[in-house]
Amino acid sequence: MKNLKFQSVFDIIGPVMIGPSSSHTAGAVRIGKIVSSIFGEEPTEVEFQLFNSFAKTYRGHGTDVALVAGILGMDTDDPRIPDSLDIAHERGIKVYWKINKDSNTPHPNTTRIVIKNDTKSISATGVSIGGGNIQVTELNGFAVNLNMNTPTIIIVHQDVPGMIAHVTEILSTYNINIAQMNVTREKAGEKAIMIIEVDSRQCDEAVKEIETIPHLHNVNFFN
């Protein structure tokens, strides 16, 4: 008998969630929440580009309310998910949909999100691969490969010298090993994003210290 290797508890029992489908709702919530965390501010406008399966069933399977719920910072089991479109409207967030039913994306459950306010804009492509698991494959035009099934620290900061050294020194102090790291920026001297996958699930103290670094806008830890 072959040994079975599970990458995540989601592979065994699925996520705790509101909604009929782990791919179309729980996964969509997680994609939206990751993009919201990276953006790090209250948006005024969000465009969701939906492809293939997401495009064909997004209303019937609740993908629309799930994506917006994630942008609003909700978790997969938040009872407010069905009301997320109304909540976004109340907060003055404009939501737009671009439907691409016949696109040849590598995975059917794909969305590209463009989120913006009066001062900045970012784009990200996310894929819901089943069981609530997701991948982020593009960020601001840069190809990335984030499964978000390992502990991940996402830092939005000003692009100034020494930021990476400050963060890695703190992680080293707490004996936290880096598994993978992606860094991108809008342009020299503007906002930058640091995405760090780590081997430890005990990062709360390190994150608190990272928060004190000058020129840092926000830091989120996804365990």
Side-chain angles (χ1 to χ4, degrees):
M1 180 178 177
K2 288 186 177 180
N3 291 326
L4 298 180
K5 182 179 180 182
F6 296 102
Q7 298 298 321
S8 163
V9 68
F10 289 154
D11 297 334
I12 307 171
I13 61 174
V16 178
M17 68 177 196
I18 300 291
S21 167
S22 59
S23 293
H24 286 237
T25 50
V29 171
R30 295 187 72 211
I31 291 170
K33 188 170 183 181
I34 292 298
V35 174
S36 175
S37 171
I38 294 171
F39 189 67
E41 298 178 7
E42 179 83 353
T44 58
E45 182 179 315
V46 187
E47 178 184 273
F48 297 97
Q49 300 173 20
L50 304 182
F51 301 91
N52 296 334
S53 178
F54 264 8
K56 294 173 183 176
T57 63
Y58 72 102
R59 287 198 174 118
H61 284 184
T63 305
D64 53 350
V65 295
L67 285 168
V68 174
I71 291 294
L72 297 176
M74 297 182 194
D75 291 318
T76 58
D77 60 348
D78 196 308
R80 299 172 297 165
I81 288 175
D83 302 317
S84 63
L85 288 167
D86 292 334
I87 295 171
H89 178 73
E90 292 168 2
R91 287 168 56 170
I93 302 172
K94 296 179 181 179
V95 177
Y96 300 96
W97 303 96
K98 185 175 181 181
I99 309 304
N100 302 278
K101 293 183 180 179
D102 299 319
S103 176
N104 294 319
T105 53
H107 194 282
N109 300 329
T110 298
T111 180
R112 184 173 186 269
I113 301 174
V114 181
I115 182 170
K116 62 180 69 175
N117 59 19
D118 294 336
T119 60
K120 71 172 185 174
S121 171
I122 70 166
S123 68
T125 300
V127 179
S128 179
I129 60 176
N133 295 301
I134 68 168
Q135 292 177 334
V136 178
T137 59
E138 174 265 334
L139 182 61
N140 282 355
F142 290 87
V144 296
N145 182 23
L146 298 173
N147 292 321
M148 305 308 297
N149 285 334
T150 56
T152 303
I153 301 169
I154 298 179
I155 301 166
V156 181
H157 61 92
Q158 207 67 22
D159 180 40
V160 296
M163 287 298 295
I164 294 174
H166 283 311
V167 171
T168 55
E169 183 178 357
I170 290 171
L171 294 178
S172 177
T173 298
Y174 286 88
N175 200 31
I176 296 171
N177 191 51
I178 296 173
Q180 178 173 300
M181 185 172 183
N182 287 275
V183 180
T184 184
R185 65 183 184 183
E186 296 171 352
K187 59 182 179 179
E190 299 295 329
K191 285 186 178 177
I193 302 165
M194 204 182 304
I195 303 175
I196 308 170
E197 295 183 13
V198 297
D199 291 336
S200 174
R201 297 189 181 276
Q202 307 300 321
C203 294
D204 292 342
E205 293 302 317
V207 168
K208 287 180 182 178
E209 189 166 338
I210 290 171
E211 288 175 344
T212 67
I213 297 174
H215 308 293
L216 187 142
H217 296 288
N218 67 74
V219 54
N220 286 276
F221 176 50
F222 294 87
N223 190 347

